[in-house]
Amino acid sequence: MDEPRSSIDSRAPLIPDMERKIMPSVSIHILSIALCLSSGFQQGYIASVLNQPYKQIEQFINATWTERTGNPIPESTLHMIWSLLNVCFPIATIFGQFLAGWMCAKFGRKYTALIASFLYIPGAVLCAAAKWLSVFELLFVGRIIWSLANGVNTVNATVWIVECAPPQIRGRMAAMQEFFMALGSLLTQAVGVPFSTDELWPYNFLPNCAVVIVSMIMFSWVAESPQFIMEKYNDPERARQALAQYHGVSEDDPSVESEMRICEESIEKKTKSKDGNNKGTIQSEHTGMEIMFMPWRAKDSTSRLIRYCAWVGVMVKIAYVFTGARSLRGYSTFILYTLSHFTYSQATWLSFATGLLRLPFTLVPVFLVDRLGRRPLIIVSMFVSFVSIAVMILAINLNGDWKYATFIGLTVLLLINTCGIGSVSRFYAAELVPRNLLLSSVSTLTMFEALTKIGVEFAFYPTANVIGAQALLLFLIPTGIFTIMCYFMCPETSRMTVNEVLNNVAKKREMDVVFPM
């Protein structure tokens, strides 16, 4: 049965002037950069650190195995081990994302970031020590610890920035993650050019430790999330001070008052849901997990609306994985060397060149995502990705005669995703769900992305070694399908509060639900 339309008349929030020019505060800049270093930068570093020295690491694993057993590893088994080493990243990330929900609620956003960031250091050191101790299994252990911590920080970064950044600049702040991901990837590729040798490849892992220390120092300077302050300590004055600091305004500014009401209402909704008292606001009596996974139970209008928006967020994250940009970035040297027949030296340098080109493109969404909107960036980047993958398949099948076309197709694929869906998918899903469901929803949504990534990355490398370019059909066909789905299903969220987005979707789908503004 549909719920009646209602609003909070007695506590109508003050609506800030959404069109006034917002100058980001020093605090929100420090927070954004620290979150980017602990999340996006680390993700780019982990994803690319095995890329350029992949032949040397494979040889090291084979040599270590031969020393122990007297027999080399069969080539097909070695390819399988290499795929497993790569998918350690998304597998461990899933566990980190599950852990993030509990850690953020228990320790707060700030201490969660500090704990997870600290774990990066032993993760990187263990990867390097694998060579020095001749124990290749340490590559798996170090990569799992590193990736687990990144899973925690990925969720924490999305939640923290959405809770603290003003809506007018939220997209810009969140889009910085892609720039820092490109920076992390570029750093490891720059190191990888001279260090892709049998003796020096362990040093690819170590520069990351200095970046971790910088991010931890920056976290010590910023305030805790106002949402956590209200949930844990119920201290409106401290939460108000934190909001004012992040927004760069006085404590009595309308934007602070509006955000404080959102914090208070999200806490009230959780309490009312537990007490079974939902009077005075449009609120589903069901939990976030029930809304997403139990439609037969959560079938009221509000739950159906939230479920639709949450699954649109899932779709966008999965669509990004199937463009192939994330997977192929980690296999770019393999594609250029093994499939396209460049020399190994050319492949490593061209891989680095792509990373270098990618860096300025990551700034496109920083400046345009709040002006052009999320929807155009998603749809255009998906379409261009489809064309780029098709070009790569055609060029590789020409047996090296068109190898530069492969390089161009791969580069365009990585660049267009960097300034499109790759950047937007990081925070888009968080803009589609109510604040009281934000933490649990982001954890769940990023889990679906990681699960898809595991299947895709595990399948691509051994398959490409057997059938070559046809392995790229794994990306081409889904990208075509998701391009159409995104066109018809993705709402615009730029410069809007979550309630505005939900109301627009409800109106378009003719659902009898109105969230209070």
Side-chain angles (χ1 to χ4, degrees):
M1 180 177 180
D2 290 344
E3 294 180 14
R5 297 175 180 265
S6 59
S7 62
I8 306 178
D9 297 327
S10 60
R11 301 187 62 217
L14 298 174
I15 305 297
D17 182 4
M18 299 297 288
E19 298 302 323
R20 63 178 176 166
K21 188 174 182 179
I22 298 294
M23 296 298 294
S25 67
V26 174
S27 292
I28 200 66
H29 269 126
I30 293 175
L31 175 65
S32 180
I33 293 171
L35 290 174
C36 287
L37 288 173
S38 68
S39 177
F41 181 91
Q42 295 295 330
Q43 189 171 337
Y45 206 103
I46 299 169
S48 300
V49 72
L50 302 177
N51 178 26
Q52 286 167 306
Y54 85 97
K55 294 300 292 185
Q56 288 79 16
I57 297 176
E58 275 193 338
Q59 290 168 7
F60 160 71
I61 294 172
N62 193 29
T64 304
W65 184 270
T66 302
E67 286 178 8
R68 294 179 190 173
T69 65
N71 297 306
I73 302 176
E75 188 175 13
S76 60
T77 305
L78 185 60
H79 291 159
M80 191 70 68
I81 291 174
W82 184 253
S83 292
L84 286 171
L85 184 59
N86 276 276
V87 300
C88 276
F89 174 30
I91 291 173
T93 297
I94 291 178
F95 289 96
Q97 288 160 353
F98 274 121
L99 187 60
W102 174 80
M103 289 183 67
C104 287
K106 179 71 174 179
F107 304 113
R109 313 331 180 214
K110 182 172 180 176
Y111 284 106
T112 295
L114 288 169
I115 294 168
S117 296
F118 175 78
L119 290 175
Y120 289 140
I121 296 176
V125 171
L126 284 171
C127 287
K131 167 70 173 178
W132 303 328
L133 300 176
S134 295
V135 181
F136 75 84
E137 289 85 356
L138 289 179
L139 282 167
F140 287 86
V141 176
R143 193 162 172 81
I144 287 170
I145 294 172
W146 198 348
S147 304
L148 180 77
N150 187 241
V152 173
N153 273 333
T154 298
V155 173
N156 192 35
T158 302
V159 171
W160 200 351
I161 201 68
V162 168
E163 290 175 343
C164 296
Q168 300 92 327
I169 61 171
R170 184 179 57 218
R172 193 191 325 168
M173 294 292 103
M176 287 292 291
Q177 289 284 353
E178 192 69 19
F179 173 78
F180 278 83
M181 179 189 280
L183 196 63
S185 179
L186 181 62
L187 176 59
T188 189
Q189 288 175 325
V191 173
V193 171
F195 286 174
S196 291
T197 68
D198 290 337
E199 295 301 322
L200 297 180
W201 66 258
Y203 294 98
N204 280 289
F205 301 97
L206 299 182
N208 179 60
C209 296
V211 178
V212 173
I213 293 171
V214 171
S215 68
M216 293 179 70
I217 292 172
M218 296 179 74
F219 279 128
S220 68
W221 283 87
V222 297
E224 179 56 86
S225 163
Q227 185 73 33
F228 178 75
I229 293 172
M230 289 296 293
E231 290 175 353
K232 185 74 173 181
Y233 305 108
N234 194 24
D235 187 344
E237 187 59 31
R238 183 182 166 195
R240 190 180 298 274
Q241 290 173 355
L243 269 173
Q245 185 182 89
Y246 281 126
H247 285 218
V249 296
S250 62
E251 293 182 29
D252 60 354
D253 189 87
S255 67
V256 173
E257 185 64 27
S258 179
E259 286 294 317
M260 281 297 297
R261 291 189 190 280
I262 293 175
C263 290
E264 291 167 354
E265 287 168 6
S266 69
I267 295 171
E268 288 176 5
K269 286 177 181 181
K270 289 180 180 179
T271 303
K272 289 172 182 176
S273 180
K274 291 177 181 178
D275 295 342
N277 179 12
N278 297 312
K279 295 179 180 179
T281 181
I282 290 188
Q283 163 69 22
S284 173
E285 62 182 1
H286 305 288
T287 66
M289 296 301 287
E290 289 174 334
I291 290 173
M292 289 193 68
F293 300 109
M294 300 181 184
W296 61 90
R297 180 180 298 177
K299 54 188 178 181
D300 56 277
S301 296
T302 303
S303 296
R304 289 191 289 112
L305 174 61
I306 294 172
R307 180 166 52 249
Y308 174 83
C309 290
W311 280 106
V312 168
V314 172
M315 179 192 70
V316 171
K317 284 184 170 292
I318 294 176
Y320 172 47
V321 173
F322 275 109
T323 62
R326 179 169 291 178
S327 300
L328 300 184
R329 185 167 62 245
Y331 290 119
S332 60
T333 304
F334 162 74
I335 291 170
L336 297 173
Y337 173 61
T338 304
L339 299 185
S340 301
H341 308 296
F342 284 96
T343 67
Y344 188 74
S345 177
Q346 288 175 328
T348 56
W349 277 104
L350 288 173
S351 179
F352 171 70
T354 300
L356 191 62
L357 285 171
R358 184 166 163 252
L359 191 62
F361 274 78
T362 60
L363 294 175
V364 172
V366 174
F367 294 107
L368 296 183
V369 70
D370 288 319
R371 297 179 182 179
L372 291 181
R374 285 54 157 159
R375 178 180 158 83
L377 291 176
I378 291 172
I379 295 170
V380 171
S381 63
M382 289 288 293
F383 176 75
V384 176
S385 295
F386 180 85
V387 175
S388 299
I389 298 168
V391 169
M392 290 174 62
I393 293 173
L394 177 62
I396 293 172
N397 279 328
L398 292 174
N399 295 320
D401 294 336
W402 283 44
K403 61 184 178 182
Y404 282 99
T406 306
F407 169 68
I408 293 171
L410 177 62
T411 301
V412 171
L413 176 69
L414 299 183
L415 296 186
I416 195 64
N417 276 274
T418 289
C419 58
I421 190 172
S423 177
V424 175
S425 66
R426 290 179 164 275
F427 59 89
Y428 182 71
E431 296 181 324
L432 296 173
V433 294
R435 183 70 60 83
N436 62 308
L437 299 176
L438 181 59
L439 184 57
S440 61
S441 296
V442 170
S443 299
T444 304
L445 296 176
T446 49
M447 177 200 69
F448 276 98
E449 179 186 24
L451 282 172
T452 308
K453 189 171 183 286
I454 290 168
V456 169
E457 289 200 0
F458 184 75
F460 174 73
Y461 184 71
T463 304
N465 272 288
V466 175
I467 65 173
Q470 279 61 45
L472 291 171
L473 291 172
L474 179 67
F475 306 112
L476 182 70
I477 296 171
T479 296
I481 295 171
F482 279 120
T483 300
I484 297 171
M485 293 177 67
C486 287
Y487 179 82
F488 287 104
M489 297 178 68
C490 288
E492 184 55 70
T493 62
S494 179
R495 297 177 179 268
M496 300 181 192
T497 64
V498 172
N499 286 11
E500 288 179 290
V501 174
L502 291 171
N503 286 341
N504 288 342
V505 175
K507 182 178 179 180
K508 182 178 179 179
R509 293 179 59 80
E510 299 181 348
M511 300 178 70
D512 192 25
V513 180
V514 177
F515 280 79
M517 302 291 293

